[in-house]
Amino acid sequence: MTWFPLLCLLIGSALLPAWANASSHLPTPEERARYPWLSASVPVRALEATFPPPAGYTRLEVAPDTFAAWLRGLPLRPPGTPVQDFQGGGILAGTDGRLAAVAELDAGSADLQQCADSILRLHAEWLWATNQKARIAYRFTSGHLASWSAYAAGDRPRISGAKVTWERKAPASSTRATFRAYLDLVFTYAGTLSLQAEKNRPGREDVRPGDFFVTGGSPGHTVLVLDVAQDVKGRRIALIGQGFTPAQDFHVLSSGRQGPWFSLEAPEVATPFWKPFPWASLRRFAAPGK
């Protein structure tokens, strides 16, 4: 990084609210095992340490090995980092009032990892990191299942209109590079409509990290619940993140003057870049293997 961009980042950091200025560190070996895409030389800060709940609120308890717990450690870039698209173009300035933080997660090299794809990416990375690779499988918008196990064995799809068949056309490979190619395939043929079709539909009283709100369509949109906290009266708030179109950095949203925590008490959940999501749009990935 040359001196001018570094100076801009430092100036931007000084303009950020106090909650956004958590210190960064080089990833520990444990963090690199939990988030396998991380570079040892790129500083990060964990979501949970960066955004403590407001006074009077405590985080919901979650089991240690769940998607919810994994998301709480999601690595973030240093304060003041802007959101960029897959080509490095500017999307949001680091001081934009609607932006709380940017995840340390690549957006890929093509316009593929958009809103729904970012959520699929994170869920698949959790399964990969927790040695549940055989359970990585997602449906295309057509409803056809694309499993990592079949792709790693060499199966590739033959797509004709809405018909998908699989043929053994490539050598077996289970490398990270092959895994990323599999994800790009999923990103190409899955989207908000396939996420909306998820059958697991929790109620508002059961919302937890890893759930997502989704409005299917072209365009549609989806946002991911990254964390949930509540007060003694049971009122809940959430950290919410999103990818978007064009493919861009996954980022944590800010509700404005109230900071990064969004109220979950209204009939709809309003976020800065899309119309409010009704509670009927809440979805959850099925438990692995289900």
Side-chain angles (χ1 to χ4, degrees):
M1 179 179 287
T2 62
W3 68 269
F4 182 71
L6 178 59
L7 178 62
C8 292
L9 186 59
L10 292 173
I11 293 173
S13 297
L15 298 175
L16 294 172
W19 50 258
N21 281 312
S23 60
S24 302
H25 62 276
L26 294 180
T28 65
E30 180 183 4
E31 284 175 313
R32 293 190 66 202
R34 284 172 60 82
Y35 309 98
W37 65 87
L38 288 181
S39 165
S41 61
V42 176
V44 297
R45 53 200 174 116
L47 180 100
E48 185 173 18
T50 302
F51 301 117
Y57 286 83
T58 57
R59 285 183 156 95
L60 295 184
E61 292 187 10
V62 297
D65 296 327
T66 58
F67 188 36
W70 187 87
L71 285 172
R72 284 185 173 164
L74 187 68
L76 306 176
R77 291 176 182 162
T81 301
V83 176
Q84 296 183 317
D85 66 21
F86 66 101
Q87 295 177 313
I91 298 290
L92 293 173
T95 54
D96 193 297
R98 300 165 295 178
L99 173 65
V102 177
E104 179 49 58
L105 177 73
D106 67 276
S109 59
D111 191 10
L112 292 175
Q113 191 172 292
Q114 300 178 0
C115 60
D117 314 299
S118 296
I119 295 176
L120 292 167
R121 168 81 186 275
L122 289 168
H123 190 259
E125 291 282 9
W126 164 64
L127 290 172
W128 178 282
T130 53
N131 203 26
Q132 301 182 75
K133 298 181 180 70
R135 295 173 174 175
I136 298 172
Y138 302 99
R139 292 194 180 276
F140 295 162
T141 300
S142 65
H144 296 89
L145 188 68
S147 77
W148 160 243
S149 295
Y151 192 93
D155 290 356
R156 298 294 183 269
R158 182 173 183 177
I159 298 172
S160 177
K163 183 179 180 181
V164 180
T165 55
W166 291 84
E167 301 175 359
R168 187 64 51 88
K169 299 173 67 174
S173 171
S174 56
T175 65
R176 281 286 298 180
T178 305
F179 178 56
R180 285 296 284 114
Y182 159 78
L183 289 175
D184 281 349
L185 172 70
V186 173
F187 299 163
T188 301
Y189 295 105
T192 54
L193 288 170
S194 51
L195 282 187
Q196 185 175 256
E198 287 284 338
K199 294 181 173 58
N200 201 345
R201 304 184 179 190
R204 61 187 299 172
E205 69 287 345
D206 187 37
V207 60
R208 65 190 188 210
D211 293 345
F212 51 92
F213 293 94
V214 57
T215 301
S218 298
H221 192 44
T222 181
V223 296
L224 179 64
V225 178
L226 296 168
D227 207 349
V228 178
Q230 69 178 23
D231 66 9
V232 293
K233 294 183 179 179
R235 293 175 296 197
R236 294 190 174 189
I237 55 176
L239 295 176
I240 295 176
Q242 68 172 25
F244 218 161
T245 305
Q248 59 193 254
D249 296 321
F250 184 82
H251 49 284
V252 184
L253 298 172
S254 175
S255 62
R257 292 183 180 178
Q258 291 71 38
W261 292 90
F262 289 76
S263 173
L264 299 180
E265 295 306 306
E268 297 178 315
V269 177
T271 60
F273 298 95
W274 197 256
K275 57 190 175 183
F277 292 93
W279 280 98
S281 69
L282 187 65
R283 299 288 188 275
R284 178 179 298 162
F285 287 111
K290 297 278 181 79

